[in-house]
Amino acid sequence: TGAISSLQRQMEIQESKLRRIRSEKEMLQKQLREREVQLQAVSDKFCSLTEEQKQEEMMVMMEEENRNLQQVVMEQESQLAEQNKLISECQETISQLRAEVVTTRLHLLEQKQAQKEIQSQAEALQHKELQTRVALERISTKFERYRSKIIQATFSMEGIQDPPGELTDDEVLEAMQKIFNERTELQQMLKNKGSR
């Protein structure tokens, strides 16, 4: 947004400069027209003089006026050429600034779109994280109930002493393995006894 404002300010400055140059050009053209009117007036004046006076004054005045007018015309043509050059440069600069404004606005739109997509992805991840936490809590609750049932089943058997305190998972597995081994031995003994 700051870049766009800066470009717009530059564009306004260039347009103001262009208006000023065009105004100066119009003023030079007006001066040129005034000189042409003066020349026409001199020419009309010569028409009202006698033939002899015309010849004498015409030579002097025309030479002087021609020199002056030629000098003025050359200066004004040079100034007009310079003004036209400045106008072309200003128009080119304004076109470049307008193109930069359009490009900058496109970049801003792309950045806003990317920001929206990132925000949407972040919201989706947050939603997924929440679902995962809920599922994890549900699984943890089931696991604790299952572990509690295993401990209860393991230590409720005859001949098994109650645990002195909180059991670790390894201790529960060790107790279950002990019961499994004892039952396996008992089954083997019963098979052997049955075969005899």
Side-chain angles (χ1 to χ4, degrees):
T1 305
I4 288 176
S5 299
S6 176
L7 289 171
Q8 286 176 338
R9 279 197 300 274
Q10 291 180 29
M11 194 163 63
E12 288 171 1
I13 291 169
Q14 291 297 327
E15 287 175 345
S16 175
K17 186 177 178 182
L18 182 61
R19 286 193 297 271
R20 180 176 56 78
I21 291 169
R22 283 178 173 164
S23 175
E24 290 175 359
K25 179 181 174 182
E26 289 175 1
M27 183 180 68
L28 288 172
Q29 288 174 336
K30 183 180 178 183
Q31 290 176 357
L32 188 58
R33 287 194 296 270
E34 289 175 354
R35 289 290 183 180
E36 290 174 352
V37 170
Q38 289 176 4
L39 184 59
Q40 185 63 41
V42 169
S43 186
D44 293 341
K45 181 180 177 183
F46 287 149
C47 291
S48 64
L49 295 174
T50 65
E51 193 66 32
E52 189 175 338
Q53 289 174 328
K54 282 183 183 178
Q55 290 178 355
E56 292 177 0
E57 292 184 14
M58 184 180 294
M59 293 299 293
V60 175
M61 292 180 66
M62 282 295 289
E63 287 177 2
E64 182 67 25
E65 192 64 29
N66 280 340
R67 283 195 297 270
N68 293 336
L69 287 173
Q70 284 175 358
Q71 183 66 27
V72 169
V73 167
M74 287 175 62
E75 290 176 357
Q76 290 184 347
E77 284 178 348
S78 175
Q79 290 178 0
L80 284 173
E82 186 66 26
Q83 297 295 338
N84 287 331
K85 182 181 176 183
L86 288 172
I87 287 170
S88 298
E89 290 174 355
C90 287
Q91 287 175 337
E92 184 179 351
T93 304
I94 288 169
S95 297
Q96 290 175 352
L97 290 172
R98 284 176 177 164
E100 288 179 18
V101 167
V102 171
T103 304
T104 306
R105 285 179 175 166
L106 286 174
H107 285 328
L108 283 174
L109 288 174
E110 289 173 359
Q111 288 176 355
K112 285 182 180 178
Q113 185 64 30
Q115 187 176 2
K116 285 181 181 178
E117 290 177 2
I118 291 170
Q119 187 174 358
S120 177
Q121 290 175 0
E123 289 173 356
L125 286 172
Q126 287 177 348
H127 183 66
K128 190 171 183 180
E129 180 187 8
L130 180 61
Q131 289 180 332
T132 305
R133 285 185 179 180
V134 170
L136 182 61
E137 288 177 4
R138 189 182 299 116
I139 291 169
S140 297
T141 303
K142 286 183 178 180
F143 175 76
E144 287 299 326
R145 285 202 301 266
Y146 182 63
R147 186 175 183 275
S148 177
K149 288 180 180 179
I150 290 173
I151 293 172
Q152 184 179 1
T154 301
F155 290 95
S156 65
M157 296 184 64
E158 186 177 348
I160 301 296
Q161 294 181 353
D162 290 336
E166 186 71 21
L167 292 172
T168 64
D169 292 341
D170 290 337
E171 289 172 342
V172 174
L173 288 173
E174 185 180 347
M176 290 179 64
Q177 188 65 43
K178 183 178 178 183
I179 293 171
F180 178 75
N181 291 339
E182 289 176 354
R183 288 193 172 188
T184 303
E185 290 175 4
L186 179 60
Q187 287 176 352
Q188 190 63 37
M189 286 174 59
L190 290 173
K191 283 182 182 179
N192 291 339
K193 188 174 180 181
S195 64
R196 286 198 299 271

